[in-house]
Amino acid sequence: MYSELIFKVALRGETLLTSPRWNKGTAFTKEERNDFGLTGRLPSRINTIEEQCDRAYDQLHSRDTPIQRNSFLQSLKEQNWVLYYSLLSRHLKELTSIIYTPTEAEAIENYSHLFRRSEGLFLTFPDQDSMEEDFLEQTRGKDIELIVCTDAEAILGIGDQGVGISSAKSAIYTLLGGINPAKAFSVTLDVGTDNERLLSDQLYVGWPSRRVRGDEYDKFIDKFVQLIRKHHPHCLLHFEDFGVTNAQRLLELYRNEHSVFNDDIQGTGAVTLAALMAAIGVTKSKLADQRYVIFGAGSAGLGIAKQTGVSREEANKKFYLVDRFGLIKQSLGPNKIRPALQEFVRPDQEWSDIPTNDAGEVELLEVVRKVRPTVLIGCSTKGGAFTERVVRAMKEGCKRPIIFPLSNPSNLVEVDPKDANDWTEGMALLATGSPFPPAKMPNGKDYVIAECNNALIYPGLGFGSMLSQSRQMTDGMIIAGAQRLAALSPALKDPDSGLLPDFQDAPAANLEVAIAVAQQAFDEGIQGVSWGREEVRTKAEDKQWKPAYGRYEYDEQGAK
Ligand SMILES: NC(=O)c1ccc[n+]([C@@H]2O[C@H](COP(=O)([O-])OP(=O)(O)OC[C@H]3O[C@@H](n4cnc5c(N)ncnc54)[C@H](O)[C@@H]3O)[C@@H](O)[C@H]2O)c1
Ligand SMILES: O=C(O)C[C@H](O)C(=O)O
Ligand SMILES: [Mg+2]
């Protein structure tokens, strides 16, 4: 059906072959080779997309390590989008872990050494006078619907990397969400780095200066946001991996004036809410009846705590937050408790009979022993923090503990799910942030470890907001997306199945999320489109970008 697509294209010869958006390589037909000045520029044989994928897959497998495969795929993306996304779609699970978490962490850590060709826009602090000009140079005439930006201060769990991540997140929008890559754009906001390794690396490609903070930082970010509001008022602005002191603050600052979305806060909150809903479906209980311990009270931890929809008054009863100074309790004082954590601070007297460490902190194990939580979530960046004693204490406190070690990449997971499964005799309901193989239940059956990664929901949240052209991404839209994802949980049919849909089904799950989000925008009356709510599903299906070549006709006025 896609071969019926006809595109009017204005590029010829070498420029056509070097345009990743339009290049077809050996798949250009005879007629196209004649019309676009390509005869003599390509070998004779005309390949189908299937043949091209087979060849690329063989080439990929001649690379031995995940990082070599990541570099290969990056080059393929720079050459031919249709081939790149076709190949990824055909081997979705295998290759998502190569272009995204966990391999992406290694690619970003080594970005300056692996660097070959830049992608997206780099806005660098000392060059801010030309910000608008630089922005327009790359975006002029383009119908941009999505901008993914990062300042790379808190990349996954590997911290400050100066530059990185937004292009991988953007590729996932296309792969799992069906967003047209020609309408998406990734931006690196380079405000320096405090990473000593990068600062002393002669090959570091970013701005080799300490991170700009305070007023100067805020003004720089504001200049960027206002630029988007001016030139692309309908476009969704996605923030990724900002530092803990900025993420929530920037979201609150802009979310009422533009459609902005913080993935680590809202995307993680939403996917975890979906996994929690599925887990309580298995335990036949209610969200409001859980006792939660969240280990790592940063962007993700707080996003999760807030997304459960528990009211402010209830929060202090249900949630126990533990961070690098142990339990968040009154006597830690303002230097150790960020203002955003205020509503979760525990009174000291509640803990007066509990042993502390030498620094006077209440450690995770003690918190678990006292609270007997039903839910333990890790987003601390501290690999192995859920020790055997902690996990066994969870099991002592309730029959089916819900344990989600969400830190990425894989080596930072708070507990290997296989161990958590063994230590709880298969009773824990588990989900992780990175992909893990199934664990063995005591009865010999496989227990599927759900991948509770925001990629299972953020492409759908974004697509739903773009589809409805809502000027805001509201909490209602996010919760509607989470509820729809939870309803797709395989565990609702078989309690031993994964809590969330398998990544193989991520495109279908994200489409459902998008539909729910757009319908919710209609229900809240904030849609910006003139068609009706009953058309949401058809419009969503029509709008999805699929990697397919179509037929090209040369036209000087056509697309470039
Ligand atoms: N699965 C997902 O979809 C998903 C989404 C977002 C983040 N994450 C992961 O969660 C982790 C945190 O991400 P974030 O964006 O919230 O980062 P963040 O920097 O905003 O927060 C990290 C928090 O952990 C705390 N912390 C650091 N060391 C600790 C320790 N030893 N003990 C206890 N707490 C400690 C920090 O003080 C901070 O509050 C990362 O590993 C990230 O990859 C996973
Ligand atoms: O990037 C991911 O894999 C998920 C999340 O956004 C993270 O920061 O870990
Ligand atoms: Mg992130």
Side-chain angles (χ1 to χ4, degrees), residues 169 240-241 263-264 454:
K169 285 280 173 179
E240 188 68 45
D241 290 352
D263 185 32
D264 300 287
N454 48 30

Side-chain angles (χ1 to χ4, degrees), residues 12 30-39 552-554:
R12 290 178 62 80
K30 195 146 187 52
E31 201 181 6
E32 286 166 340
R33 293 176 187 212
N34 286 330
D35 293 351
F36 287 86
L38 297 172
T39 50
Y552 294 178
E553 287 175 359
Y554 185 71

Side-chain angles (χ1 to χ4, degrees), residues 320-560:
Y320 297 78
L321 269 49
V322 182
D323 206 82
R324 60 173 81 238
F325 306 113
L327 177 76
I328 303 288
K329 62 178 172 72
Q330 257 168 354
S331 53
L332 286 185
N335 289 342
K336 294 181 180 169
I337 304 178
R338 300 195 318 279
L341 300 178
Q342 275 314 322
E343 66 200 84
F344 298 99
V345 179
R346 311 293 318 182
D348 275 9
Q349 58 274 27
E350 185 187 274
W351 295 84
S352 52
D353 56 337
I354 300 297
T356 57
N357 64 15
D358 294 346
E361 300 157 352
V362 180
E363 293 185 350
L364 177 64
L365 178 62
E366 297 305 334
V367 177
V368 170
R369 280 183 175 152
K370 179 176 165 78
V371 173
R372 299 167 76 83
T374 53
V375 179
L376 173 63
I377 294 174
C379 25
S380 64
T381 74
K382 190 177 182 213
F386 297 172
T387 59
E388 182 167 353
R389 293 168 80 194
V390 167
V391 172
R392 287 196 187 278
M394 283 295 295
K395 174 69 180 54
E396 272 159 34
C398 69
K399 193 162 166 239
R400 300 224 60 186
I402 298 168
I403 304 180
F404 295 170
L406 300 184
S407 284
N408 298 319
S410 326
N411 63 325
L412 297 182
V413 72
E414 281 83 359
V415 61
D416 186 318
K418 178 188 168 305
D419 292 337
N421 177 69
D422 289 349
W423 297 333
T424 57
E425 291 85 40
M427 293 307 277
L429 293 161
L430 299 165
T432 51
S434 301
F436 280 89
K440 275 270 176 268
M441 308 279 280
N443 62 8
K445 207 174 152 189
D446 274 352
Y447 178 63
V448 178
I449 308 298
E451 195 176 332
C452 182
N453 186 295
N454 48 30
L456 211 48
I457 203 164
Y458 81 75
L461 294 176
F463 190 58
S465 134
M466 288 175 231
L467 180 69
S468 57
Q469 287 185 21
S470 65
R471 292 285 183 114
Q472 274 181 46
M473 173 83 85
T474 64
D475 287 339
M477 289 159 77
I478 295 171
I479 288 170
Q483 283 169 338
R484 187 68 60 95
L485 181 62
L488 301 174
S489 164
L492 297 181
K493 291 195 185 114
D494 168 7
D496 294 339
S497 291
L499 292 174
L500 291 169
D502 192 85
F503 247 65
Q504 191 60 43
D505 302 321
N510 271 299
L511 177 62
E512 286 305 316
V513 168
I515 290 168
V517 168
Q519 287 170 338
Q520 179 66 24
F522 272 90
D523 293 346
E524 293 180 25
I526 54 167
Q527 79 281 10
V529 289
S530 50
W531 42 268
R533 188 188 190 279
E534 68 290 351
E535 290 177 83
V536 165
R537 182 170 291 274
T538 329
K539 293 281 182 192
E541 286 164 357
D542 290 351
K543 192 176 167 65
Q544 280 212 310
W545 184 86
K546 298 261 166 60
Y549 285 134
R551 181 155 61 84
Y552 294 178
E553 287 175 359
Y554 185 71
D555 181 345
E556 270 179 33
Q557 307 304 317
K560 293 189 171 154

